Structures are given as structure tokens and as C-alpha cells.
Amino acid sequence: MLAALVEAMRPHQWVKNLLVVAPLAFAHQEPAVAGDPGGALRSSLSAFAVFCLLSSSIYLLNDCADRKADASHPVKRNRPIASGRLPVGVALAASLGLATTSLTWASQLGPDGVVPFATWPLAYMVLNLSYSFGLKRIVILDCLIIALGFQLRVHGGAVVLGVRTSAWILLCTFFFALFLAFCKRREEVERMRDGTGATRATIRDYDVPFLDQVIAPLAALSILCYALYTVDPNSVAMHGTNLKFTVPFVVFGVFRYLFLIHKRGEGADPARLLFRDPPLVLSGLLWGAAVLGAIATKGAGGT
């Protein structure tokens, strides 16, 4: 039963919460971070853990609510709750325990401020509960809520450190999360057309031509907002001018993802795909290395 519980918590989805740690890298010269890098790292990792526990709590609750629909799906019927491997009572108790633990932990994190860190995990929970119990049935809004959840992660990661978040990074996060959400809907529509089943309430309201019209500009906006962030005067002052050399890796990553969606019919699970496709993994590693290189060059006195 323990193995089924861990599976239902979907730890592979925790990769999405790495956005909570992102402000640590991009705010390394802020006094709150530079003055105590060890403490900043502990705060970021703690905030990451809070969002991981909270997201798992929501997954468990959502799967309990959707267990009957999931049981009729050719893939989702194998989930622990839908298949009966994890009793509903155990899942609900675990969901409550994870939510209580994460929010209690969140209340102890972050510097004193007008908006405490715990506000963001709480807002994330309320947003996702609203999604699970009603808003996921409203076409387009279902994807917008997912994207807002990613923005709340970034806000939380910045607030726990006591630093500001770039408007360009927030916009980039929003558009890219929206891009991934609509790509996932496209894959689900394709599977429904192939007769492999669909349980999502809004899938029948979408079609491939519409989704393709939405996905293309979102890909462009994601790249544009990131590129503008790298040349923003505030970013240049903090990181130097070399951050712009990380843009090609982002461009490749977005286009590679589009290729996998359109040519290989992948994208139903972005969290798995981002770490399963070797070219995507390599581009992500090179992007990370390029970011660290740009930061190190600035720190060494370069421009």
C-alpha cells in the first residue's frame, strides 16, 4: 500500500516545483541572498518541499474525486486509486496530512513582510481546489489556471528569499506554462480521436486546428519574454550582458517540444517528456551551464 501511495503522490511531477528555486539563481546578487547564501539555499529548498507536499496532497484529492471517470480510461484506470490498489480513505487521510504539514511548514518560512510566504502555497491550494471541483470544466480557463499555478510557484520562491521577481520572468513563466497546458490538451484530443478514451471534461470542446492556432503564438511569446528578460537593464546590471547567449538553448527547447508534439504525438505528460527526450535534456543542461557561466563571468568582473 505504501508503494501505491507514493505512486499516487506523483513524485515525478515535483519537477514542476523547481520554479520555486529559480529565483535563487537569478537573484544571487540581491542583499538578502548574497548576505547569507547558505540560509537562502535552505529557504529555497524548504519552499520547494512545501510545494511538493502540497501538490501531492492535491493530486490525491483530485484522483479520489475522479476515480470513477479514471476507471473507464485505458491508461488512467491503472492509477492506484482508480484501480483500487489504494483505498479512498487512506488517500484522503494522506491528502489531509500532507496539506496540513505543508501549510504549517510554510507558516514558518520567509522573512517578515507585508505578504508572508505562506500566502502563496495557500493561494496555490485554493486555486487548485477550485480547478479540481469546478473550474476544470470551463474551456480555456482550465489551462489558464494551470499557468497561474506556475506563476504562484515563482512568486513563492521569490518571497521566501525576500527578493523581487522580474516582470519578464513572470510573463515568460505564464506563457510557457500555458504553452505546455495547451500542448497537453492537443495530445489528449488526438488520443480521443484515435478512440483511446478521454476523461477530461473540456476535451470535447477543443479541436486540433484551434489548439494549433493557440500554441504557436504562445511558443513565440515564451521565447520573446525570456529574450527580453536577458537584455532588460535590471538583468544586465545584475547578471551582465552574457545572459543573452542562453536564448538559443531556450529556442531549441521550445521548437524541439513542438516537434515532439506534432511529429511524434508526445506531450500527454510534459513532466516526463522534458526528462525523457535526450535532446531536450541536453538543451536544458546546456542552458543551465550557460546561465551559470554568465553569472560567473559577471561575478568575476566581466560584462
Side-chain angles (χ1 to χ4, degrees), residues 80-152:
I81 298 174
S83 66
R85 289 185 289 123
L86 181 64
V88 173
V90 174
L92 290 175
S95 175
L96 179 61
L98 290 171
T100 302
T101 300
S102 61
L103 293 177
T104 301
W105 193 357
S107 67
Q108 301 170 6
L109 298 177
D112 295 332
V114 177
V115 181
F117 165 72
T119 301
W120 303 105
L122 181 61
Y124 175 82
M125 184 180 72
V126 171
L127 182 71
N128 278 275
L129 290 177
S130 300
Y131 172 87
S132 296
F133 294 99
L135 297 184
K136 67 181 180 182
R137 298 177 176 84
I138 303 176
V139 67
I140 299 177
L141 183 61
D142 59 333
C143 292
L144 285 171
I145 289 176
I146 293 172
L148 289 174
F150 279 84
Q151 278 200 314
L152 291 176

Side-chain angles (χ1 to χ4, degrees), residues 255-276:
F255 287 174
R256 175 69 183 179
Y257 199 89
L258 285 171
F259 169 79
L260 294 172
I261 294 295
H262 287 278
K263 297 298 184 181
R264 296 189 180 176
E266 301 184 39
D269 191 342
R272 291 190 187 276
L273 180 58
L274 289 173
F275 287 88
R276 188 178 59 198

